[in-house]
Amino acid sequence: MKVAIAGAAGQIGRKTVTLLLDNGHEVRGLARKDEQLRDLEEAGAEGFRLDLEADGDERVREAVRGADAVIFTAGAGPGSGDARKETMDYGGAVKLIEACRSEGVRRYLIVSSMGYADPGGAGKMENYLLAKLKADVALQTSDLDYTIIRPGRLTDDEGTGRIDAAPQLGRYGEIPRADVAAVLLAALESENTVRRAFEVLSGETEIPDALSGL
Ligand SMILES: NC(=O)c1ccc[n+]([C@@H]2O[C@H](COP(=O)([O-])OP(=O)(O)OC[C@H]3O[C@@H](n4cnc5c(N)ncnc54)[C@H](OP(=O)(O)O)[C@@H]3O)[C@@H](O)[C@H]2O)c1
């Protein structure tokens, strides 16, 4: 598949690019900075300069043109203020949704977050979780073939390839970014995850089995 990935130079993004390339997919890595674009090209991806907040709609459409699927794993990051939760975590995801709809790219996978169901109970995370929730709702109410992946707290531990996944897990916990990248790859290749939203944490079940059991 041809996959365009927003946040390609981020921590989950970079791991996902490697996995996609290793598994025979063509990757267009969307990123903002020269050195990130160079790294993506050196890895074997096409580097495409895109700022999801600053760039206009036509540039975003160009970024997804010809792709079979789009992955959104960009984010304003923990140091950002409320304004960028709105322009990036929500607005950036929506710009990409609209571009996919215009260009006929039906498949859209997004890295969302656990905790969205109760943003009011999340203290300092409230505005971030509200932005993620609004992006998820925009995607769920679109006509796209979406997959919404809601990980718990991300760690830099080595991936284990084993997760728990369910629409609601009823517990909170952690998951390595490497495993989220592996979930993105497996979800892309699994029809069973189309028009599905689910939480993921480190667990006991091999990723493909966990996804087919959703
Ligand atoms: N931290 C957690 O515990 C947690 C939990 C659940 C879900 N998540 C979600 O997981 C996803 C990825 O996490 P991560 O750890 O991989 O994040 P990360 O390393 O901060 O990567 C985010 C990427 O988004 C890019 N970005 C920021 N603003 C942009 C813009 N205007 N246009 C285009 N790209 C932009 C950043 O690029 P620059 O280098 O140019 O800034 C960066 O490469 C995010 O959606 C995050 O909300 C995080």
Side-chain angles (χ1 to χ4, degrees), residues 63-144:
V64 305
R65 195 162 292 153
D68 301 304
V70 158
I71 293 175
F72 180 95
T73 183
S80 61
D82 287 348
R84 292 202 60 230
K85 313 282 186 248
E86 189 67 17
T87 56
M88 181 60 226
D89 296 304
Y90 170 57
V94 168
K95 267 191 182 177
L96 209 61
I97 291 170
E98 290 309 325
C100 286
R101 295 187 68 238
S102 297
E103 293 297 320
V105 181
R106 295 209 46 81
R107 192 81 172 94
Y108 190 120
L109 297 90
I110 189 168
V111 179
S112 181
S113 178
M114 280 185 81
Y116 84 100
D118 182 22
K124 282 198 323 206
M125 297 276 284
E126 181 174 350
N127 288 324
Y128 166 70
L129 292 173
L130 274 174
K132 293 301 258 185
L133 171 60
K134 286 198 298 177
D136 291 359
V137 170
L139 188 52
Q140 282 173 306
T141 53
S142 78
D143 53 359
L144 297 182

Side-chain angles (χ1 to χ4, degrees), residues 6-14 30-33 36 50-54 72-78 84 87-89 92 110-114 125 128-129 132 149-156 172 175 177 180:
Q11 297 167 89
I12 290 177
R14 197 62 189 76
L30 315 179
R32 299 194 286 183
K33 298 170 186 145
Q36 294 172 340
L50 185 72
D51 186 322
L52 271 168
E53 292 162 281
F72 180 95
T73 183
R84 292 202 60 230
T87 56
M88 181 60 226
D89 296 304
I110 189 168
V111 179
S112 181
S113 178
M114 280 185 81
M125 297 276 284
Y128 166 70
L129 292 173
K132 293 301 258 185
I149 296 165
R150 298 186 171 128
R153 199 172 71 76
L154 301 174
T155 73
D156 292 326
Y172 193 64
I175 180 167
R177 288 179 170 86
V180 178

Side-chain angles (χ1 to χ4, degrees), residues 150-167:
R150 298 186 171 128
R153 199 172 71 76
L154 301 174
T155 73
D156 292 326
D157 295 346
E158 239 174 80
T160 66
R162 290 174 178 271
I163 58 166
D164 285 342

